[in-house]
Each structure stands twice: as C-alpha cells, then as structure tokens.
Amino acid sequence: MQTDKVVINDINKSDKVYAFLLFLLSPLLSVIVSINKYKASWAKNIIWLYAAFYGFTFVIGNSTSDVNRYKSQFMNMKYYDYSVTEYFQYLLSNEHSFDYLQPLIMFIMSYFTDDFRIVMAIFGLIFGYFYSRNIWNILSFCKGRMPKIVVLFLAVFAIIYTVWDINVLRFTIASHIFFYGTFNYLVNKKKWGILIAASAMLMHYTLSLAFIVLLIYKFVGNRSRIYFLMFLVSLVASEINLSSIRNSMTFLPKNLQEDSNDYINEDYKEYRQGINERKNFRGKFYQPALKWSAVILLIYVFFRRKVWLEKHPLWFKFYCFTLLFFTIFNFLSSIPVMNRFVFLAILFALAFLAVYFTYNKTLIDSKVNLLVVPLLLFYFVVKFRIGLEFTGFFTLIGNPILALYNEGDIAFINFLK
C-alpha cells in the first residue's frame, strides 16, 4: 500500500514538472493539459500562470477600451515621478473613491518599469489567482463523473469574468475577489473569507454594495420563501424611477453617493439605451440569454428543493444567499452601471447549479436543462468572440520567452472579419 502511494506521488511530481516545462514552450497547450488533468493539484496553477502570460501579451483591441485609460494613468505616474509621500497624500486625499489597490499597484510598478505589458502581467497574475481558485473550489464539490450540463455551467462560469476582461481591470478582479471570499465564508466555513470579501471594495469601491448584501444575509439568514417571492417580483417589477433611487441612497457613504449621481440620471440612462440599440443581434441578446438561463434554473430548483437541497444545509444556505443577491441587484439593474452586479449574481448561480446538477440527474432535470443549453451556448460563443478582440497570435501560439521580444501584436479578431 505504501509502495502504491510512493508510485502515485512520483507520477504526480513528474506530471507537474512536465506541465510547467510545457508552459514555457506553449502556455496554451499547457492550459489544455491542465483542464484534462483538473484533479491534479498543480492544474489550477497553470491557469494562474496563463493569466499572467495573457496579461503580458494583452492586445488593446480598440481605442475605446477601458485599458487605454489605465495605460495613460500609468504613463502619467512615470512622467510626474511622484515621491512615495506625495503619492500617498494624493491617494488618501481623494474623497470620491477608496479603491486604492489598483493605483497603488501601478505606482509601485512605476518605480521598476515603464513597460505597461509588465503591469498588465501583474494584474493578470492577481486576477489569475482568484479566478483559478474559484473554479477549482467549485470543482472540489463536483465529485465523480460530471454531466455534460455541469461542464457547460463551469465553462460559462469561467468566461463571464475571464482573463481578457482585465480590459476593465478593477471590477473584473474585484468580482473574483468577492466571490472567492464569499464562497470560502459560506461554503468552506472559513471565517477569514468575509475579510477577503470586504477587501474587494479596495479594488473597486462599488463592491461595498455587494458586501452590504452579504452582511444582510448574515443577519437575516435563510428565508428561502421570502427571497424567492422577492426574486419573482424583481423580475416583473416595472421600471423604477431613477430620481427616487437617488433620494433613497442617503444611507451610503458620501463618496458613493456622489459617484452614484453620475449614473442615476435619465440622460445617462438614455445614452446607454442608445448604445444598446445600435448593437447587432448578438450584442443585444447574449447577456439576456445568460440571465434568463440562470433565472429559469433557480426557479426550477426552488420547486424541487425538498428533494435534495433541504437535505444539504450548506448548499441550501448558498442558494438562499444567491437568491437574495440576485434579487437586490435585479431591482438596482435599472441603474445602467448596476447591471454588472447581475453577472456577479450569475457567478454565484452557476457555481450553485454546477454542484446541484452534479447530484441531480433525473429525467425532469435533464429536460429542464435542455431548455437553457442553446441560451448558454449562445452566450459562450459571443463572449468568446469578444475575447478575440484582446487576444493576439502570441497569446495563442507564443511562449513567455518569445513574448519578451514581441511588441505590437495584432488582435486575432482582425483575421475573422
């Protein structure tokens, strides 16, 4: 028996060495191997490293991308050459925000390099840690052979806020930090998880709203029927008057109230609606397709909850939190920029659904899942296509050594138009 364990350990070590050597030669191929060997302890670290590599080879697909603003911010830091004292005074004197992590990381990096690719690699590394851990946290509860629908749930989970979304930087990373902390707190019963969840607001201040919802759940507890009724109401509620929302947000910190006023007005809402109307079919409907897939399945689970869910209190708790989170941000989604939190809610929903349908494989389960498969596939394909705007050939066929000598890669999407 002891000999068998030694042999298994030796195989695992050799696979690990092989995987990391393969990463140096072909990062993308090593990712494919790690997905195939996802049960190995090293697999998640390959995804982590690839996120850093992607950041280094990140292609700025167009001039309107958010990443352009971050690049200008970094170059200004180099130009003005702040002292540590001057920069900290500037950072702490900013009354409109308390998301200090992103500018602080950039400021530190400005002392070591003027290459923005390295800065993006660092953000990719930070993103990759939480991203990979979130996926593998879910996988740790999907024992045995996973049904195909669960594989699809995980694939969509992995692409909602994925590596090319470091284009928007702060919210993408903050979302995965919040998910990581909340999942560990609610599911893995790690008390430190709530501190990690709270730290997400230091990357993007609006995550303070998500943390408030977590605190509400902590004190209110599991109220599945109430949450479910509120959830249904949030889906059919009429358009909320934005001025009434603005008047009701006085409980928020002053900086949050001031920044929110930029978005809680009819002119801004009309501007966003105008942008949406100019989109093609894919652009208009891929996000609603994802949302309604999650909604259908969460409703289905509520009516089937006594079969499995209430026998597993851990996941009943997670389901209740997901309903509450989804409900609150459904109501707030009439504020254009708050719609992004709906997708954070969907991260929680997909994590729950992946575990639920790993253990629930009845005929009726399969039939309900068939309803959402086309919608989820539609979302996945469109989101993958969007990713090609920020993905160059070096990201796909290059390696860390060759990437050092490559500048000005062309986005892959240009060859598909």
Side-chain angles (χ1 to χ4, degrees):
M1 194 67 167
Q2 188 66 31
T3 304
D4 290 343
K5 288 182 179 180
V6 172
V7 171
I8 291 172
N9 287 334
D10 288 343
I11 292 172
N12 287 337
K13 287 180 180 177
S14 63
D15 283 350
K16 181 178 180 180
V17 172
Y18 160 74
F20 283 101
L21 287 175
L22 182 60
F23 176 83
L24 294 176
L25 294 173
S26 175
L28 182 61
L29 190 56
S30 71
V31 167
I32 296 171
V33 171
S34 71
I35 293 172
N36 186 51
K37 299 278 189 179
Y38 72 90
K39 293 182 180 179
S41 60
W42 48 263
K44 59 181 174 288
N45 292 329
I46 294 294
I47 304 298
W48 181 13
L49 287 175
Y50 187 78
F53 174 72
Y54 190 102
F56 188 81
T57 58
F58 187 91
V59 177
I60 300 178
N62 57 70
S63 59
T64 61
S65 300
D66 286 5
V67 71
N68 290 284
R69 174 164 48 89
Y70 294 109
K71 185 175 182 179
S72 297
Q73 186 183 68
F74 176 71
M75 299 313 295
N76 284 336
M77 288 179 184
K78 293 294 296 182
Y79 178 78
Y80 289 109
D81 193 25
Y82 294 104
S83 69
V84 174
T85 303
E86 288 172 340
Y87 191 73
F88 269 87
Q89 287 176 343
Y90 161 75
L91 201 60
L92 296 174
S93 66
N94 188 351
E95 297 180 358
H96 297 286
S97 181
F98 48 79
D99 38 2
Y100 300 128
L101 285 180
Q102 171 262 321
L104 188 57
I105 291 168
M106 281 192 173
F107 176 69
I108 293 171
M109 293 306 300
S110 71
Y111 270 79
F112 298 98
T113 183
D114 59 1
D115 190 343
F116 189 65
R117 296 180 303 167
I118 297 176
V119 177
M120 290 296 288
I122 295 298
F123 281 113
L125 193 69
I126 297 168
F127 168 85
Y129 176 82
F130 293 101
Y131 177 76
S132 60
R133 269 57 188 172
N134 287 339
I135 294 172
W136 263 261
N137 267 336
I138 301 168
L139 284 171
S140 68
F141 290 94
C142 299
K143 304 296 183 182
R145 185 174 181 179
M146 286 186 291
K148 291 178 182 178
I149 188 64
V150 173
V151 175
L152 181 58
F153 289 151
L154 291 170
V156 175
F157 176 94
I159 209 170
I160 290 176
Y161 288 126
T162 191
V163 62
W164 54 75
D165 289 316
I166 57 173
N167 165 52
V168 295
L169 211 63
R170 294 179 302 145
F171 191 84
T172 298
I173 297 174
S175 294
H176 274 289
I177 293 174
F178 181 78
F179 183 94
Y180 177 78
T182 303
F183 190 94
N184 275 291
Y185 178 67
L186 295 178
V187 178
N188 291 330
K189 299 180 179 179
K190 305 292 186 182
K191 292 183 178 179
W192 50 259
I194 200 165
L195 298 178
I196 299 294
S199 71
M201 68 181 76
L202 297 177
M203 181 59 75
H204 199 292
Y205 73 96
T206 60
L207 267 292
S208 57
L209 298 175
F211 186 68
I212 289 171
V213 177
L214 178 58
L215 292 180
I216 291 172
Y217 171 77
K218 177 178 169 60
F219 290 106
V220 176
N222 299 327
R223 300 287 187 270
S224 62
R225 289 182 177 85
I226 295 173
Y227 296 157
F228 182 71
L229 288 174
M230 291 170 58
F231 181 60
L232 293 181
V233 171
S234 75
L235 296 173
V236 298
S238 59
E239 195 72 15
I240 299 174
N241 183 271
L242 295 183
S243 61
S244 65
I245 293 179
R246 184 164 53 241
N247 294 333
S248 66
M249 296 186 77
T250 54
F251 69 92
L252 295 175
K254 183 180 178 182
N255 58 328
L256 258 179
Q257 291 181 48
E258 291 175 352
D259 283 4
S260 298
N261 287 337
D262 293 335
Y263 303 114
I264 309 175
N265 63 73
E266 298 294 343
D267 290 339
Y268 183 76
K269 184 178 179 180
E270 290 176 6
Y271 165 72
R272 295 296 295 240
Q273 287 175 339
I275 291 176
N276 191 57
E277 288 171 2
R278 291 192 292 272
K279 292 179 179 177
N280 58 24
F281 176 85
R282 296 189 306 269
K284 286 181 180 179
F285 296 109
Y286 82 106
Q287 291 179 335
L290 174 64
K291 175 182 174 178
W292 287 102
S293 297
V295 166
I296 290 168
L297 293 180
L298 288 174
I299 292 173
Y300 169 75
V301 168
F302 178 81
F303 291 107
R304 298 277 293 173
R305 68 191 187 285
K306 293 185 184 298
V307 177
W308 183 83
L309 194 56
E310 291 186 356
K311 297 176 184 177
H312 295 80
L314 198 67
W315 291 105
F316 181 65
K317 177 200 299 185
F318 195 73
Y319 175 72
C320 288
F321 169 76
T322 301
L323 276 183
L324 176 64
F325 194 92
F326 213 141
T327 297
I328 289 175
F329 287 108
N330 256 342
F331 280 118
L332 292 177
S333 64
S334 58
I335 305 171
V337 294
M338 287 296 165
N339 190 53
R340 67 179 74 178
F341 284 97
V342 171
F343 297 95
L344 179 52
I346 294 171
L347 283 186
F348 287 103
L350 288 173
F352 166 78
L353 293 169
V355 176
Y356 180 85
F357 286 105
T358 295
Y359 299 101
N360 293 271
K361 308 172 186 176
T362 65
L363 181 61
I364 189 171
D365 292 327
S366 300
K367 287 182 177 179
V368 171
N369 282 326
L370 283 176
L371 291 175
V372 303
V373 166
L375 299 176
L376 292 175
L377 287 174
F378 175 61
Y379 176 84
F380 185 90
V381 170
V382 175
K383 187 66 191 291
F384 184 81
R385 186 181 184 279
I386 291 171
L388 297 180
E389 294 182 15
F390 309 101
T391 305
F393 273 101
F394 262 81
T395 314
L396 300 178
I397 64 174
N399 61 51
I401 298 171
L402 292 175
L404 292 173
Y405 302 97
N406 173 63
E407 291 187 32
D409 202 358
I410 300 173
F412 201 83
I413 193 68
N414 292 322
F415 299 92
L416 300 179
K417 291 179 178 179

